[in-house]
Amino acid sequence: MAPTIPMDQALLRILQLTDSAFPTGAFAHSFGLETYVARGIVRTAASLEAFVANILLHAMAPSDGVACAAISRAGADWQDLLQRLDRRLSAMKVVTESRQASRTLGTRFLRTTTALFSLPRATSYLSAIDATSVYGHISLAYGLVCHDLDLPVPPALAAWFRQYCASMVWVGVRLMPLGQTAGQELLARLGAPICDAVALALERDVDDMASFAPGQELAGIMHRDALTTRLYIS
């Protein structure tokens, strides 16, 4: 484990890793939201808030969040756990675009972070991805980086979940008649679901990982096969 660093430095690193400007390409994905907007299901701030909160609490936190927390706290057997979680997440992401997005974001995240810091476990994961012995997922990449940098898990998870929520909110701002101020108000209201998501991810065992977002999965398929005009990859 990396030497313990002062909390102020840890906070700065968390902020850097979860900044919207960090080059992962997350801005190019809507994870089904574009389909919801195109079909008129999400068309107000309230419906956008419900979409983001539901996906966070019923899909992201109990699957990727649990995996991220587990791998960030893993001990000497971390490689076995990594292989297990990598296969599990790949099987749970049934929509091709979502699965590929997770891999693309994870790989880009690792290429940047390993160039910035000394990250033994994260570097090993990137090598395994390049060797195609694992699939690669952003949640596992982020968790390994948090471990290698000895970042405190609860605030690191909170920042990562907030980044996801902010990304979805700004997708909504771009696609809907929703102003910047309304988007910030919406993001502020998502504070409670974000805290609930952190608690869920920290408390649940990896054997109980789950994801229930059938609407989002159908939207992902429709985004690929039915939308004639698309701004986002997923």
Side-chain angles (χ1 to χ4, degrees):
M1 182 179 294
T4 301
I5 58 177
M7 183 56 204
D8 56 349
Q9 183 67 17
L11 177 59
L12 290 175
R13 289 184 175 177
I14 290 172
L15 292 173
Q16 180 179 8
L17 294 174
T18 60
D19 190 271
S20 60
F22 203 84
T24 62
F27 67 89
H29 297 272
S30 79
F31 296 100
L33 179 55
E34 186 171 19
T35 301
Y36 270 74
V37 174
R39 292 178 62 83
I41 301 171
V42 171
R43 54 185 178 181
T44 64
S47 56
L48 176 59
E49 181 179 351
F51 173 89
V52 176
N54 284 333
I55 298 303
L56 175 65
L57 292 171
H58 299 295
M60 186 176 183
S63 59
D64 286 290
V66 173
C68 180
I71 202 63
S72 68
R73 298 179 295 185
D77 62 343
W78 70 274
Q79 289 178 311
D80 291 337
L81 178 62
L82 180 68
Q83 291 274 350
R84 178 184 169 195
L85 291 173
D86 188 87
R87 292 192 298 268
R88 181 79 174 268
L89 287 171
S90 296
M92 293 176 69
K93 298 181 186 299
V94 298
V95 179
T96 302
E97 281 72 13
S98 296
R99 189 168 58 250
Q100 188 59 42
S102 182
R103 181 178 189 181
T104 301
L105 297 179
T107 303
R108 289 178 178 172
F109 181 77
L110 287 172
R111 293 204 192 286
T112 302
T113 53
T114 54
L116 295 173
F117 308 108
S118 175
L119 306 170
R121 292 191 179 184
T123 299
S124 177
Y125 189 36
L126 178 59
S127 296
I129 294 171
D130 288 338
T132 67
S133 59
V134 294
Y135 196 87
H137 291 286
I138 179 61
S139 54
L140 298 176
Y142 183 67
L144 289 173
V145 170
C146 288
H147 175 277
D148 287 339
L149 293 177
D150 199 27
L151 302 179
V153 179
L157 273 177
W160 187 49
F161 288 153
R162 186 198 176 278
Q163 178 197 47
Y164 172 79
C165 291
S167 177
M168 291 297 94
V169 168
W170 303 133
V171 169
V173 168
R174 287 189 287 269
L175 293 175
M176 300 161 52
L178 188 69
Q180 297 279 348
T181 300
Q184 289 291 347
E185 292 171 348
L186 194 163
L187 189 57
R189 292 195 298 272
L190 288 168
I194 289 171
C195 291
D196 290 342
V198 171
L200 188 159
L202 292 174
E203 294 169 0
R204 185 168 296 193
D205 188 84
V206 293
D207 290 330
D208 297 320
M209 285 171 56
S211 177
F212 186 74
Q216 184 192 31
E217 292 172 355
L218 288 172
I221 295 171
M222 293 177 65
H223 185 274
R224 177 191 65 201
D225 298 334
L227 289 190
T228 56
T229 301
R230 297 183 299 180
L231 295 179
Y232 295 93
I233 299 171
S234 67

